Every structure is written in structure tokens, then in C-alpha cells.
Amino acid sequence: QVHVVESGGGLVQPGGSLRLSCAASGSIFSINAMGWYRQAPGKQRELVAAITSGGSTNYADSVKGRFTISRDNAKNTVYLQMNSLKPEDTAVYYCMVGAVVAVETMIREVDHWGQGTQVTVSS
């Protein structure tokens, strides 16, 4: 019922930039936190950046100063602007949407995940 679709991944040179987008749709009352996670081969999925409904942000130490997360509440969309990309940023990036939905007779927040988009930083 809730659909999360990511876009914007691709191949980029070291030092380059990409902007990821993630749009949520479906039977959603509201969206609280939204975030981006990434997973590289052989590694655990890790938080990259998150943003609350009020606009507060949190970043992994490895991306501070280079990545910027933002959201458009009217479009239920979250963005990740990635600058000064490094080979270490290569991973599949997943969007997480904390959507308030109806679960049986309850209204609760449920994390929804996108399918992932590949980001490759290489010369």
C-alpha cells in the first residue's frame, strides 16, 4: 500500500556529485523521519543521513560536510545531495520512510524501504 521509489544513482567520478531522490506514495497519514542508508558489498547497512518532519538532520561522520539531506513534505519526497564523492561512498543506497499508516485497527509509524539505487564512484 505504501510505495517508496528511489532514483538518481549512477556512476560518477571521484569528486563529483549526485542527487538521490525518494518519493513515497500510498495510504499515508503523515511522514515522520525519512532517511538514507547504504550497504556496500561485505558490509552492514549503515545510516547515511536522516531528517525529521521538523527538518532536524543527522549525518554519519563519514559524510558530514559533503552530503545534504532535505525533504519536500508536499511531495512526500526526500533528497540526498552528495558532493565531493569518494570511492568509499560506493554502495547501494536505500531510502527509508517512517510513514504513519493504519495497521489493522491501529495508527502507527512503520518504516518503509525502497528497492535501492546503486551509486558507484570510480575513475
Side-chain angles (χ1 to χ4, degrees):
Q1 196 65 40
V2 176
H3 305 279
V4 178
V5 180
E6 301 131 325
S7 63
L11 175 65
V12 66
Q13 301 288 118
S17 298
L18 285 173
R19 190 181 79 153
L20 306 183
S21 299
C22 170
S25 62
S27 300
I28 301 171
F29 289 95
S30 62
I31 295 176
N32 292 328
M34 306 180 80
W36 291 94
Y37 291 72
R38 67 186 181 188
Q39 187 166 25
K43 299 182 69 68
Q44 296 289 320
R45 184 176 298 187
E46 63 179 356
L47 174 68
V48 178
I51 185 167
T52 69
S53 60
S56 297
T57 59
N58 180 254
Y59 297 92
D61 289 341
S62 59
V63 307
K64 287 181 179 177
R66 301 188 298 119
F67 291 10
T68 302
I69 189 170
S70 61
R71 62 191 287 170
D72 184 336
N73 291 329
K75 297 180 178 180
N76 288 341
T77 299
V78 63
Y79 306 94
L80 185 67
Q81 179 66 47
M82 304 185 294
N83 299 325
S84 302
L85 282 161
K86 305 175 180 179
E88 308 93 270
D89 297 317
T90 296
V92 177
Y93 284 69
Y94 297 91
C95 176
M96 188 281 294
V97 177
V100 178
V101 300
V103 180
E104 296 182 341
T105 61
M106 299 181 294
I107 305 299
R108 58 172 290 185
E109 180 179 322
V110 177
D111 292 344
H112 295 84
W113 295 86
Q115 78 286 352
T117 184
Q118 177 71 47
V119 171
T120 302
V121 184
S122 176
S123 60

